[in-house]
């Protein structure tokens, strides 16, 4: 039995205590639960993990604050190692979840707020591995010297030089030459390879044994030791006639090939994090800030919101901010994927990390540190690269039993050849081949390497993937649903028709302006812009209220006025004179006044919104990929139908209230579609969450972005097709990698056991399998967008 204390937020009264205690006692394994209202904590006794308790508290309507910590992991070599570390961390009281990424050699740990992290370090240390803070992990992975002669290449060079004289005589035998070295020289060359350069396999294998697990290092250590020991035995019993047949070259060659494979694998794995490192390098170290009456050079990390910052041509903008003076072309390509520089002027927002090309800019910092756009992008990329795809669960289960099964197969091969055929020497060599060719490394790297390469490439294109589950969902999508305003159109409507039905147009504009001056709706901004251009004054408005998805209402001149959609006007029993509308496909708002005998129409306003230049090509790309494309909008049927006809959409639903968008997505899902929803506004958030895949444009609201599984860094509809293509290609790489990882073992292990592979060939195959899956994943970095996909 163990005690676990959980902080709880959301409790307000004594009845909360009873509800939470009841919920906790229903969790299997909980023997006792006590909630302290004053301390806002729950103490639970029993054998149960934190995740189950948090889920129970959440189901009761309360929340347990958790946080996520990132650490490096030292000493791992294969999927079995990753599984051992995860298991050890999850056993720590207060840890909710732990996900080890073998490719990046990092672990993401979700745990209760306030957990003593020294417990995490101790738990991992007991398994024989090391938990490293991120700075230490980066230093450990960084090469000490440039080029091939860096520190981690020395074992490869040294073992290769000693192994070459052992292997060359085998090549000579092919040409009828006898270059075989005397046994003493073979032993002198093989021993340093076995016990000096191969020492890492023994130490890592021993740690695995102490932790009650197995890994690749253990298999290599046992296999090469068997070949080395067999050579010593044959040398010892040699009768002095001719030259004894020893296998020192097999043990040395296997170790050298494995060391070479791991070295090349490490170099390849570093390339999978190139995109993340490139983003991190965008953060300037210094900034020029106005302090104490002068411009001063300070550390960029010390900037605060409200600081005035100057950026000279050629410099990176250090923070997100609003431009106060100057104008310039700004390169945002590394952040948004947009290759064309953007013209920035006073009042525009600048993104930290982008490059100021040709003008002097002065801006006021609005978002700094962890709240900046660049910091959020880096956080999302890290989160995606550390996530596990659903298919990884199968790999984890296989990895957990992989080493014991391989050891059993090797034992069967040894006994089969020794007892069955009476050839113990062949039995030992075949068992060694089985141990050496088995490669849990390739299994462990197959999925994370592809995810890291795919999400990194997506980030360069301007697509941020929240987690690996989004990649799996994306490759199943067969219906893409777009919001209209700001997604397929520019989202900047202009007031194109103003028709008064009773008073003058000037009075109509004044009434509409007065009602709309406090609204943030795009149509309201168009009215305000037109009124300000004509110097129209405002009237006093009382009881102003926004009616979601319908319009606005307020009191003026002692009367209640309504300004909103055709659907809302019909709810007030008004007949709409549609023949007065002269702008085809316009969004229409009506002004009405509420009287004792009902509402009366006073005028109409028509708004035109330009379709984005790339919208049609985006729709066509999606349709070429075999997907249906639909649109949901709150605009009038005429306006929606014109956009649908121009873009060639498969389906359109108009006059859809914000609250009903999610219901429409659900309706599509019930028809059997896998739905991707693309939007940018607050009213799109429920639909984004309901969809199988939510895709938000970062030009929209924070709410929409947080509700989505993918974020498009530009308001560019073509990015939708790009994101789906990349997701499919990434998942294709995952499947290819898993196929190669499995095929190496499914074919290689039986072949080795039956004597069709000698240990040297088995070692080469094992080393190449890991390199193959990482290299295959890296091909994603060479992907370039093709608008014809």
């Amino acid at each position: 039995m163990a005690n676990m204390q959980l902080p709880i937020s959301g409790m307000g009264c004594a009845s909360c205590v009873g509800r939470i205690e009841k919920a906790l006692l229903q969790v299997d394994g909980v023997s006792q639960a006590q909630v302290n209202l004053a301390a806002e904590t729950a103490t639970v006794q029993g054998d149960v993990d934190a995740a189950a308790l948090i889920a129970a508290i959440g189901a009761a309507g309360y929340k347990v604050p958790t946080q996520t910590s990132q650490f490096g992991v030292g000493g791992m070599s294969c999927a079995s190692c990753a599984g051992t570390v995860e298991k050890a961390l999850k056993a720590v009281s207060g840890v909710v979840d732990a996900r080890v990424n073998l490719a990046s050699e990092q672990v993401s740990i979700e745990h209760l707020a306030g957990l003593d992290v020294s417990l995490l370090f101790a738990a991992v240390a007991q398994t024989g591995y090391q938990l490293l803070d991120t700075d230490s992990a980066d230093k450990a992975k960084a090469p000490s010297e440039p080029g091939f002669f860096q520190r981690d290449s020395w074992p490869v060079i040294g073992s290769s030089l000693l192994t070459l004289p052992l292997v060359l005589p085998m090549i000579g035998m092919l040409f009828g030459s006898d270059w075989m070295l005397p046994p003493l020289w073979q032993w002198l060359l093989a021993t340093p390879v076995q016990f000096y350069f191969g020492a890492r396999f023994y130490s890592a294998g021993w740690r695995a044994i102490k932790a009650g697990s197995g890994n690749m290092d253990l298999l290599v250590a046992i296999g090469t030791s068997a070949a080395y020991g067999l050579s010593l035995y044959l040398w010892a019993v040699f009768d002095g006639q001719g030259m004894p047949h020893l296998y020192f070259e097999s043990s040395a060659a296997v170790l050298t090939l494995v060391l070479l494979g791991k070295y090349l694998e490490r170099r390849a794995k570093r390339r999978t994090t190139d995109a993340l490192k490139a983003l991190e390098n965008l953060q300037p170290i210094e900034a020029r800030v106005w302090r104490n009456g002068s411009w001063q050079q300070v550390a960029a990390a010390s900037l605060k919101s409200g600081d005035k910052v100057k950026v000279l041509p050629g410099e990176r903008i250090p923070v997100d901010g609003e431009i106060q003076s100057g104008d310039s072309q700004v390169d945002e390509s590394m952040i948004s994927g947009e290759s064309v520089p953007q013209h920035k002027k006073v009042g525009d927002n600048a993104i930290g990390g982008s490059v100021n090309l040709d003008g002097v800019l002065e801006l006021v910092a609005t978002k700094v540190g962890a709240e900046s756009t660049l910091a959020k992008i880096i956080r999302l990329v890290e989160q995606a690269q550390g996530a596990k795809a659903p298919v990884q669960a199968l790999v984890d289960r296989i990895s957990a039993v992989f080493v014991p099964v391989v050891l059993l197969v090797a034992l069967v091969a040894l006994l089969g050849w020794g007892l069955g055929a009476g050839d113990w020497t062949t039995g030992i060599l075949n068992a060694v081949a089985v141990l050496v060719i088995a490669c849990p490394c390739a299994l462990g790297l197959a999925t994370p390497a592809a995810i890291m390469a795919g999400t990194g490439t997506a980030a360069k294109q301007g697509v941020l993937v929240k987690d690996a589950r989004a990649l799996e969902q994306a490759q199943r999508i067969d219906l893409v649903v777009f919001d209209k305003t700001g997604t397929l159109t520019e989202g900047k409507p202009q007031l194109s028709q103003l028709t008064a039905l009773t008073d003058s147009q000037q009075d109509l504009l004044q009434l509409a302006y007065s009602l709309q001056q406090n609204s943030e709706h795009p149509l309201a901004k168009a009215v305000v812009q037109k009124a300000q251009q004509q110097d129209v004054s405002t009237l006093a408005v009382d009881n102003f209220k926004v009616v979601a998805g319908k319009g606005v209402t307020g009191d003026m001149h002692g009367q209640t006025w309504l300004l909103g959609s055709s659907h809302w006007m019909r709810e007030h029993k008004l007949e709409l004179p549609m023949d007065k509308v002269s702008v085809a496909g316009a969004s229409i708002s009506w002004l009405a006044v509420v009287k004792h005998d009902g509402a009366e129409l006073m005028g109409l306003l028509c708004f035109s919104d330009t379709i984005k230049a790339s919208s049609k090509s985006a729709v066509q790309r999606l349709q070429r990929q075999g997907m249906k494309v639909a649109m949901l909008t709150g605009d009038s049927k005429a306006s929606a139908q014109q956009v649908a006809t121009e873009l060639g959409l498969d389906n359109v639903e108009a006059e859809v209230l914000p609250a009903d968008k999610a219901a429409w997505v659900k309706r599509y899902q019930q028809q059997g579609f896998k739905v991707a929803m693309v939007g940018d506004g607050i009213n799109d958030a429920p639909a984004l969450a309901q969809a199988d895949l939510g895709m938000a444009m970062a030009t929209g609201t924070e709410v929409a972005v947080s509700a989505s599984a993918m974020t498009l860094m530009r308001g560019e509809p073509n990015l939708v097709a790009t994101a789906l293509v990349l997701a499919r290609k990434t998942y294709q790489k995952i499947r290819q990698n898993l196929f190669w990882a499995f095929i190496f073992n499914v074919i290689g292990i039986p072949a080795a056991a039956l004597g069709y592979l000698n240990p040297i060939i088995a070692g080469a195959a094992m080393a190449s399998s890991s390199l193959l899956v990482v290299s295959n994943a890296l091909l994603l970095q060479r992907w370039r967008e093709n608008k014809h996909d």
Side-chain angles (χ1 to χ4, degrees):
M1 290 289 181
N3 285 334
M4 185 183 297
Q5 192 172 69
L6 297 90
I8 302 176
S9 61
M11 292 193 297
C13 59
S15 61
C16 302
V17 173
R19 283 196 291 270
I20 295 173
E21 287 181 350
K22 182 180 178 181
L24 289 171
L25 290 170
Q26 291 176 348
V27 177
D28 291 339
V30 173
S31 59
Q32 188 175 344
Q34 187 172 5
V35 176
N36 186 323
L37 181 61
E40 295 186 327
T41 60
T43 302
V44 181
Q45 186 174 17
D47 295 322
V48 67
D49 62 16
L53 301 177
I54 291 173
I57 292 171
Y62 304 93
K63 187 177 180 182
V64 177
T66 63
Q67 65 186 73
T68 301
S69 300
Q70 292 277 138
F71 298 98
V73 184
M76 295 190 302
S77 62
C78 65
S80 300
C81 306
T84 300
V85 173
E86 284 184 354
K87 185 177 178 181
L89 287 169
K90 289 177 181 178
V92 176
S93 179
V95 171
V96 180
D97 193 19
R99 298 180 299 278
V100 174
N101 187 322
L102 182 61
S104 63
E105 296 177 3
Q106 290 197 330
V107 59
S108 177
I109 308 170
E110 184 184 358
H111 56 82
L112 299 179
L115 177 70
D116 183 0
V117 295
S118 65
L119 297 175
L120 306 176
F121 280 79
V124 174
Q126 287 179 356
T127 66
Y129 304 97
Q130 306 88 42
L131 206 60
L132 309 168
D133 61 59
T134 49
D135 289 339
S136 300
D138 290 340
K139 289 175 183 175
K141 287 189 284 184
S144 57
E145 299 174 26
F148 186 75
F149 291 96
Q150 57 196 39
R151 187 174 58 190
D152 59 356
S153 68
W154 162 237
V156 180
I157 298 170
S159 62
S160 297
L161 291 174
L162 293 172
T163 302
L164 195 60
L166 294 170
V167 175
L168 280 176
M170 297 178 62
I171 298 173
M173 291 172 63
L174 298 175
F175 300 97
S177 301
D178 185 6
W179 302 340
M180 191 64 65
L181 296 172
L184 178 61
W185 281 101
Q186 292 187 48
W187 175 77
L188 288 174
L189 290 168
T191 300
V193 176
Q194 188 71 39
F195 298 109
Y196 176 70
F197 295 111
R200 53 160 288 179
F201 298 106
Y202 287 100
S203 59
W206 177 243
R207 288 196 302 266
I209 291 173
K210 288 197 299 183
S213 64
N215 57 20
M216 183 210 76
D217 296 315
L218 179 62
L219 297 179
V220 172
I222 293 174
T224 57
S225 295
Y228 182 87
L230 175 62
S231 300
L232 288 177
Y233 170 75
L234 293 174
W235 184 20
V237 299
F238 176 57
D239 58 8
Q241 300 296 320
M243 180 72 75
H245 192 78
L246 308 181
Y247 299 95
F248 286 123
E249 83 286 344
S250 295
S251 62
V254 165
L255 286 170
T256 300
L257 286 168
V258 174
L259 287 171
L260 176 62
K262 298 303 288 182
Y263 169 74
L264 295 174
E265 178 191 310
R266 281 194 300 274
R267 284 176 61 105
K269 284 197 297 186
R270 286 183 189 131
R271 287 182 56 199
T272 63
T273 60
D274 282 352
L276 186 57
K277 288 176 182 174
L279 286 170
E280 291 170 344
N281 290 337
L282 295 181
Q283 298 173 310
I285 298 173
E286 293 186 329
R288 194 175 289 100
V289 63
W290 181 264
R291 285 183 183 167
N292 301 321
S294 65
W295 291 106
Q296 299 180 13
Q297 202 81 6
V298 302
S302 68
L303 291 176
K304 300 175 182 176
S305 182
D307 278 345
K308 188 176 181 181
V309 179
K310 178 186 281 188
V311 187
L312 300 180
E315 293 182 339
R316 287 199 180 277
I317 297 172
V319 290
D320 290 5
E322 182 179 334
I323 297 173
Q324 299 293 301
S325 71
D327 67 272
S328 178
Q329 297 292 320
V330 175
D331 180 4
E332 298 178 344
S333 59
M334 281 299 293
I335 296 169
S336 67
E338 176 57 72
S339 58
V340 180
Q342 304 296 299
H343 180 250
K344 299 287 183 178
K345 57 186 185 302
V346 173
D348 289 344
N349 291 320
I351 303 175
S354 54
V355 180
N356 177 28
L357 295 178
D358 54 16
V360 178
L361 296 177
E362 291 182 12
L363 51 95
V364 173
T366 54
K367 294 180 181 179
V368 298
E371 293 305 310
S372 69
T373 300
L374 182 57
K376 289 178 180 178
I377 291 173
I378 291 172
R379 209 155 51 237
L380 274 173
V381 175
E382 285 179 335
Q383 176 182 322
Q385 293 193 337
K388 285 190 176 184
V391 71
Q392 184 68 22
L394 171 63
V395 177
D396 291 343
R397 287 196 295 271
I398 293 172
S399 299
V401 299
F402 188 87
V403 173
V405 169
V406 170
L407 288 171
L408 180 61
V409 173
L411 179 61
V412 170
L414 172 64
L415 296 177
W417 284 94
L419 296 177
D423 190 347
W424 288 99
T425 298
T426 300
I428 291 174
L429 290 175
N430 290 343
V432 169
V434 168
L435 294 172
V436 170
I437 198 170
C439 188
C441 316
L443 278 176
L445 290 168
T447 300
I451 289 173
M452 292 178 72
T455 54
T457 302
K460 288 181 180 179
Q461 296 290 330
V463 179
L464 299 183
V465 182
K466 188 169 287 186
D467 56 39
R469 190 176 298 275
L471 294 173
E472 183 179 39
Q473 293 288 64
Q475 48 107 32
R476 297 176 178 172
I477 296 301
D478 51 15
L479 172 65
V480 178
V481 179
F482 283 93
D483 172 50
K484 173 176 166 278
T485 306
T487 306
L488 290 173
T489 65
E490 294 291 350
K492 298 176 182 177
Q494 303 294 318
L495 182 57
S496 53
Q497 180 187 343
L498 186 70
T499 302
L501 301 178
T502 54
D503 298 329
S504 68
Q505 286 194 8
Q506 192 74 3
D507 290 337
L508 175 61
L509 182 58
Q510 184 181 42
L511 290 166
Y513 176 33
S514 302
L515 282 172
Q516 295 282 40
Q517 61 182 320
N518 294 316
S519 175
E520 290 298 314
H521 195 281
L523 299 185
K525 291 180 179 179
V527 172
V528 171
Q529 182 183 25
K530 175 70 80 172
Q532 290 176 346
Q533 287 173 353
Q534 298 184 11
D535 293 325
V536 175
S537 60
T538 60
L539 302 172
V541 179
D542 298 319
N543 301 320
F544 173 79
K545 186 171 67 172
V546 175
V547 182
K550 297 180 179 180
V552 296
T553 178
D555 296 341
M556 293 180 290
H557 298 313
Q559 293 179 302
T560 299
W561 296 78
L562 312 174
L563 179 61
S565 67
S566 301
H567 180 74
W568 196 27
M569 295 300 136
R570 292 191 186 101
E571 287 183 358
H572 285 83
K573 312 300 183 185
L574 288 170
E575 292 290 333
L576 305 180
M578 301 303 295
D579 58 312
K580 299 286 186 182
V581 178
S582 59
V583 181
S587 298
I588 307 170
S589 289
W590 304 85
L591 180 70
V593 61
V594 179
K595 297 184 176 180
H596 297 296
D597 56 350
E600 179 185 351
L601 281 177
M602 305 299 290
L604 66 92
L605 300 87
C606 292
F607 303 87
S608 299
D609 191 5
T610 306
I611 295 175
K612 289 180 179 177
S614 60
S615 291
K616 187 167 186 176
S617 65
V619 171
Q620 290 173 341
R621 283 183 68 192
L622 292 169
Q623 290 170 336
R624 282 198 299 270
Q625 292 174 27
M627 282 173 269
K628 300 287 187 183
V629 184
M631 182 177 74
L632 296 177
T633 178
D635 286 350
S636 67
K637 290 182 179 179
S639 173
Q641 192 56 54
Q642 183 184 14
V643 172
T645 302
E646 188 170 337
L647 297 181
L649 301 179
D650 298 297
N651 183 260
V652 60
E653 298 297 336
E655 298 183 359
V656 178
L657 297 178
D660 294 337
K661 286 187 177 180
W664 269 104
V665 170
K666 188 174 182 180
R667 193 173 303 176
Y668 287 132
Q669 290 170 325
Q670 289 171 344
Q671 293 171 12
F673 288 107
K674 294 294 183 183
V675 181
M677 175 70 197
V678 187
D680 70 336
I682 292 176
N683 58 9
D684 296 323
L688 289 167
Q690 172 64 41
D692 298 285
L693 178 68
M695 306 176 78
M697 292 191 171
T699 49
T701 64
E702 290 279 346
V703 177
V705 170
S706 63
S708 65
M710 286 187 178
T711 301
L712 311 178
M713 292 305 296
R714 308 192 303 276
E716 167 60 74
N718 260 315
L719 274 183
V720 176
T722 299
L724 294 177
V725 168
L726 258 175
R728 282 199 298 274
K729 289 190 176 295
T730 301
Y731 226 76
Q732 185 180 26
K733 289 298 180 189
I734 291 175
R735 286 195 292 264
Q736 289 172 357
N737 281 353
L738 288 175
F739 169 79
W740 285 115
F742 279 116
I743 209 70
F744 262 98
N745 291 297
V746 169
I747 295 176
I749 292 175
L754 294 172
Y756 294 110
L757 292 176
N758 69 45
I760 295 178
I761 295 176
M766 190 275 278
S768 62
S769 63
S770 298
L771 190 60
L772 175 65
V773 297
V774 177
S775 301
N776 186 45
L778 287 174
L779 291 175
L780 283 168
Q781 294 185 342
R782 301 174 63 182
W783 181 84
R784 294 293 179 269
E785 183 177 13
N786 181 356
K787 294 293 176 65
H788 298 291
D789 284 344

